[in-house]
Amino acid sequence: MGRRRYPDYVTQIPDKPVPDGLEPKWAERWEAEGTYRFDRERARPEIFSIDTPPPTVSGELHLGHIFSYTHTDAIARYQRMKGLAVFYPIGFDDNGLPTERRVQNYYGVRCDPTLPHDPGFTPPEQPFDPPELVSKRNFIELCERLTLEDEAVFTNLFRTLGLSVDWSINYRTIDQHARQVAQRAFLRNLGRGEAYTAEAPVLWDIDFRTAVAQAELEDREERSALHRIDFHLQDGSPITIETTRPELIVSCVALVAHPDDDRYRSLVGTTAASPLFGVEVPVVTHDLAAPDKGTGIAQICTFGDTTDVVWWRDLDLPTRAALQRDGRLVSEVPEWITTDGGRAAFTELAGKTAKQARRRMVELLAESGDLRGDPEPITHVVKFYEKGDRPLEIVTSRQWYIHNGGRDPALREDLLLRGKEIRWIPDFMRVRYEHWVNGLTGDWLISRQRYLGVPIPVWYAVGADGDTDYDHPIVPSESDLPIDPATSPAPGYEESQRGRPGGFVADPDVMDTWATSSLTPQIAAGWEDDPDLFARVFPMDLRPQAHDIIRTWLFATITRSHFEHDSVPWSNAAISGWIVDPDRKKMSKSKGNVVTPMALLEQYGSDAVRYWAASGRPGADTAFDEAQMKVGRRLVIKVLNASRFALGLGEGAAGDVTEALDRSMLAGLAAVVEEATSAFDGFDYARALDRTESAFWAWCDDYLELVKGRAYGDGPGAGSAHRALRSALSVFLRLLAPLLPFATEEVWSWWQQGSIHRSSWPAAAEFAGLTGDLAVLDAASWVLGEIRKAKSDAKLSMRTPVESVEVRAPDERVAALELARDDLSHAGGVERLEMKIDGESSVGVVLAATA
RNA sequence: GGGCGUUUAGCUCAGUUGGCUAGAGCGCUUCCCUUACAAGGAAGAAGUCGGGGGUUCGAGUCCCUCAACGCCCACCA
C-alpha cells in the first residue's frame, strides 16, 4: 500500500472530525470503485462465498434485518481483508403470498382471475373497502410495480448501512432467471421421482384460498366451546360425544373410541345416527382415541383437524366433505343425507360460513334436544397459516409434493447426516434442525393456488372422454424454461387444443416461494448457466439466517442440494437471534414497538447502529437498546479524534521503535490481534469487537497519555513514539474496519491510499522485531491510574502538578517502571518520582497543591 | 407433554479448558473547560453470579434438581 508524504496528507485531516455524512460519501465511492466486486478469476480455496438471505419484499425492512445483515457483513469484510475473494450477492424475495398480501393491502385490490385484463387500469388512490377486484395480469403488474419501489428503498437502506455486498450479483425470486432455475430444479426432482402429485387432504387457508405447508403453520389460542351432543344408537338410546365443531357433524363418517375402553367396546361394529341428519356412521376404534378426553368417544369428520385425517386414513373411511375452499358449507344438500328431516336441517346451514353454521347448528340441536347442557367455553390451540387471519381448514385437493424424509426414514437419515456435515454457529442450532426433521409428518407441499409465483411447469393430457390424466404430466424441455404453461401449449399440442377433449390443460398452480428461495445458492451462483462460476463458489462457505426459518429456508435448501448435487449447500450456517424489546417480547408491528431503521441510521450514524448490532452474540436474541448506539457513536468519535491526534504528531523514521513503552504497547496489541482473529475465524464478531474496543479505549486512556509528552517533543524518543502510534493506529483501524466501515475508511483516507476494506487484516508478522515487555505499559498505567485517583480524591484538576510519587513494588515491576520513568513523570505531572523495591505494591502521591 | 436457550450490579451484557480479591458500558455520585476528543476526561459507590443439593484444595464456570422467562415441537374431540 502506498503512503503519501507527511505534508500532503496532514492537510486532509479535518480540525474537528465528525461522524456525520460519511455514509453517502463512502457508499458512493465504494460502488464507483468496485471495492466489493467479486473477483471470479480466483480459485475455490481463495474464495469465500455467502448465501445471503434475500429479504422478503412485503413491506419495510426492520431492525432484525439491520442486526443480522450487519453480522454477515462483518464476516464478509473480515474474510475479504484476510485476502479471500468474497462472493457476496444480494437478492430480493419478491415472489409469493407475502408480496401478494402487501399489494392487496397497499392498493386495496384483490385478484379475480376470471376478469379480463384491463390495459388502462390504475389502482385506487386510497385503498377502500370492499377491495377492488382486478384481473390476474393487472394484479401481477401491481406486484411488479410495488416490489420495485420497495426494493429501491431496501437497496438504499442496505447501502446506508454499509453492506459490502456486490450489487452486480443481484437477483429477484420472480425474475426470469430465478423462474428458470426453480422450474429446472423442479423438473429434475420430477424426473428423479422426488416430486410427485397427489390428491389428498391438505391444510387450507380459506382467505388466501391456498394450501399451506407444515412449515408455515403457527399455533394460536382461540376461544371456543365444547358441545356435548347426542348421536343415536340403533336401539334409540343416545350416545354423547363432545366437540368444538358441531357444524361439521354433517361431515361425520364414524365415531371412534379407544379399543380398550370398556364403556364403548360393545358398540364397536354397530352404527349410530347423527343428530338432525340421521346419517348412520359406524362405531370404530383407534389407539389415538383418548378415553380421558371428553366422553371418550369422538366424532370423526372429514375433516375437522389433523387427527381426523389420521383416523380417516388408517381406518379407510369415506370422505364426506361439506366445507368448501372459501370456508362456507356447500349450498346443495349432500347426497349422503337421505332423510327428509336431515335435508331440511341442512338447508338451514347451506352456504353459511363455519362460524355462522356453528351458531345455527347449536340452535337446531338445542331445539331437537340433542344438545346436552350449555356449551362449555374453552380456550384451545388451533393451527393457523403463519400469515393468515382465520384458522386453517382441511380440504381434499390435488397438490404437488417433494420428498423431504417426512415419509421416508432413509431419506430422513440422509438429511440428518447433511445437518451433521454443516458447522452450526452457535452449535445448538443444529438441534433445532434435527428436531424439525425428526418431527416431519409428511412430504413438502410446494404447490400454491395463487397468482404471483413460478408456475408449475407441466401440462396434463385430456382424454377423449374429457378426463384429465394427472398421472402422466407432460413436461417442457429444459431449454424452453422459464415457461408459463397457462400461455404456452404443451409440447406436441396446439394452443387451440387447450382444455378440449383430446387436448391438454395446464397445471393451474404456482410453486410456493420457498420452492424458489430454497435454490438461492443455485440462483446466485449460476447453476447450469455458468458452470465455471458455480464450481468456484458452490458449495458455499456461509449461510447466514435467523433461527425462525430453519424449518423452512434452511431445511429446504439442504433438501434441494442433497437431491441435485449430492452435497450440502454450504459448510457453515450462522444463525442469528431476534431483536426483542426491553421486555423480552419479540418486536412486532402489532405491539407498536417497531422502530424504523433509517431513522436510527440517521440519528446515530451507521457505524453506531452496526456497533449495537455487533454487540449481540451469534444466535443470541438481543434487546433493542439505543444506549448501545450512543456508545457506538462515542467510539466512532473517539476513533476520529484519536486518529487525528496520532497522525498529527508526525510520521517518524521507518523501523525505529526503540522505546520500551512503545514496544510494550505493540506487544499488547499483537495479543489483541490474535484474539480478534481467532474470534472472527469462529464467526464471533461480537467477541472481536469487544476485545478490540476495550484495547482501543485503554490505548487512548493510558498509552496516548503516557506517550504524549515525548511525542510532542523532538527528542530521541519522539520518532519511536510516532512510529509506534502509526503502527498501532493502522492495526486498530483495520481491526475495527469490519464493524465500523465508515469511520475507519474515513481515517484511512487521511493517510493511506486505497480502501481500508481492501487492505490486509493485521497479522502477527507486522510486529516482528517491534515488540517488548508487556509489563512496562502495565506498570506505567497502574501508577498513572494511582496518580489520577489521588488527584480525583483531592477534587483537583488532572493538570495539578505532583510534588512527589513514591512507588513501592517488586523488583521486576520497578525495573519495568524505570524503562518508562520519563513518560510517566510527564503524563502525571510528577516532579520527583522515587521507586523502592518492596513485596507489597503501593503508590504514595504527594500533590503540590496540598503540600 | 417433549426439546432448546436464557437467568451475573438499577439497565444491557462479558466472563473460552474450574484459580475471581466477579468485570465492562449505560445510569448514578463526585470532580475536571487538560493544547485529540465537553456528543469529552478522571475517580467512586453498587452484585450472597435465579433457588437448593453435590463433586473439588478451590465452582459464576462441572454434575443433579427445582423455578422463572423466551422460543420450537406434539394426535389441540
Side-chain angles (χ1 to χ4, degrees), chain A residues 254-258 267-270 282-286 289 297 300 315 317:
Chain A
L255 298 185
V256 65
H258 193 274
L267 301 179
V268 176
T270 68
V283 177
V284 297
T285 63
H286 193 281
I297 188 163
I300 301 175
L315 301 170
L317 296 165

Side-chain angles (χ1 to χ4, degrees), chain A residues 573-780:
Chain A
I575 311 297
S576 62
W578 277 342
I579 299 310
V580 292
D581 71 18
D583 301 330
R584 295 274 113 191
K585 299 285 193 307
K586 190 188 172 189
M587 295 189 86
S588 68
K589 272 186 188 157
S590 59
K591 297 198 182 77
N593 57 2
V594 168
V595 185
T596 60
M598 192 53 101
L600 293 169
L601 295 181
E602 285 169 357
Q603 181 178 356
Y604 298 103
S606 293
D607 282 344
V609 176
R610 291 173 61 106
Y611 172 92
W612 159 75
S615 68
R617 268 178 309 138
D621 289 351
T622 300
F624 168 65
D625 187 2
E626 287 193 62
Q628 280 298 105
M629 298 179 195
K630 289 179 187 160
V631 175
R633 186 174 172 86
R634 214 162 60 98
L635 175 61
V636 166
I637 292 170
K638 195 77 173 178
V639 166
L640 294 172
N641 282 307
S643 301
R644 182 173 96 84
F645 173 62
L647 293 174
L649 289 167
E651 187 165 11
D656 61 347
V657 179
T658 53
E659 295 296 313
L661 184 79
D662 303 339
R663 298 177 75 96
S664 175
M665 180 274 290
L666 289 173
L669 188 52
V672 174
V673 167
E674 271 181 41
E675 276 198 282
T677 303
S678 74
F680 263 123
D681 282 338
F683 299 95
D684 195 345
Y685 48 83
R687 174 185 293 272
L689 171 61
D690 178 70
R691 296 309 139 90
T692 306
E693 183 199 12
S694 359
F696 178 70
W697 280 105
W699 187 73
C700 291
D701 293 346
D702 294 336
Y703 177 73
L704 283 187
E705 293 304 324
L706 285 164
V707 83
K708 201 180 260 182
R710 177 155 51 87
Y712 269 135
D714 52 5
S720 174
H722 299 164
R723 175 80 177 140
L725 281 166
R726 281 162 179 267
S727 295
L729 182 64
S730 167
V731 168
F732 273 123
L733 290 173
R734 281 177 287 150
L735 290 178
L736 290 169
L739 303 156
L740 311 176
F742 294 102
T744 53
E745 183 76 315
E746 173 71 13
V747 172
W748 199 253
S749 75
W750 295 343
W751 63 311
Q752 305 276 10
Q753 291 196 329
S755 170
I756 191 172
H757 305 297
R758 281 289 183 183
S759 70
S760 58
W761 183 253
E766 291 184 31
F767 299 93
L770 297 178
T771 59
D773 184 359
L774 282 170
V776 179
L777 181 55
D778 264 4

Side-chain angles (χ1 to χ4, degrees), chain A residues 14-261:
Chain A
D15 283 343
K16 187 162 176 58
V18 290
D20 304 305
L22 299 180
E23 291 86 356
K25 171 182 171 184
W26 289 110
E28 276 168 35
R29 186 83 63 90
W30 293 331
E31 182 61 20
E33 295 182 355
T35 307
Y36 308 123
R37 201 57 50 81
F38 174 62
D39 176 5
R40 62 169 296 163
E41 301 302 316
R42 304 278 285 278
R44 184 64 187 90
E46 297 179 341
I47 287 171
F48 188 85
S49 50
I50 301 172
D51 186 17
T52 317
T56 303
V57 184
S58 60
E60 293 180 350
L61 292 172
H62 50 79
L63 269 179
H65 290 108
I66 299 293
F67 182 67
S68 57
Y69 279 74
T70 295
H71 301 163
T72 307
D73 184 62
I75 300 296
R77 288 178 181 277
Y78 167 72
Q79 297 292 351
R80 194 178 292 114
M81 292 176 75
K82 287 283 274 189
L84 299 182
V86 176
F87 182 76
Y88 190 8
I90 185 86
F92 293 113
D93 192 9
D94 42 17
N95 154 350
L97 205 38
T99 302
E100 287 190 23
R101 193 171 64 160
R102 157 101 169 132
V103 167
Q104 289 177 1
N105 295 337
Y106 186 88
Y107 293 113
V109 296
R110 290 287 183 282
C111 180
D112 180 348
T114 63
L115 292 176
H117 178 235
D118 174 2
F121 172 77
T122 53
E125 299 220 342
Q126 292 284 323
F128 56 88
D129 205 45
E132 183 171 345
L133 296 174
V134 302
S135 74
K136 177 174 166 183
R137 188 164 147 195
N138 287 122
F139 186 72
I140 301 275
E141 284 168 1
L142 287 179
C143 292
E144 182 77 10
R145 174 168 152 183
L146 187 58
T147 51
L148 285 174
E149 285 177 21
D150 286 344
E151 286 161 23
V153 175
F154 284 20
T155 299
N156 183 40
L157 183 65
F158 280 155
R159 284 181 194 272
T160 304
L161 180 61
L163 295 191
S164 62
V165 298
D166 182 345
W167 290 97
S168 69
I169 320 171
N170 197 326
Y171 64 85
R172 308 169 66 208
T173 58
I174 50 166
D175 69 21
Q176 292 298 100
H177 175 64
R179 284 167 188 261
Q180 182 190 36
V181 170
Q183 291 187 331
R184 185 196 294 133
F186 170 81
L187 291 176
R188 299 269 180 100
N189 289 135
L190 180 59
R192 290 188 297 258
E194 295 144 5
Y196 65 93
T197 174
E199 173 116 8
V202 294
L203 288 158
W204 185 271
D205 187 292
I206 57 175
D207 291 310
F208 290 112
R209 303 207 189 159
T210 182
V212 302
Q214 185 185 356
E216 298 169 291
L217 305 184
E218 189 172 279
D219 288 342
R220 289 184 210 160
E221 295 236 314
E222 280 272 295
R223 300 165 69 98
S224 183
L226 280 173
H227 306 74
R228 294 165 65 85
I229 293 165
D230 285 349
F231 278 55
H232 303 281
L233 297 172
Q234 281 158 327
D235 64 6
S237 61
I239 177 164
T240 308
I241 60 124
E242 214 167 79
T243 181
T244 56
R245 304 288 311 261
E247 73 279 16
L248 289 182
I249 287 174
V250 64
S251 291
C252 180
V253 292
L255 298 185
V256 65
H258 193 274
D260 298 337
D261 193 332

Side-chain angles (χ1 to χ4, degrees), chain A residues 463-476:
Chain A
D465 54 3
D467 283 351
T468 303
D469 179 10
Y470 290 108
D471 294 331
H472 305 91
I474 304 166
V475 300

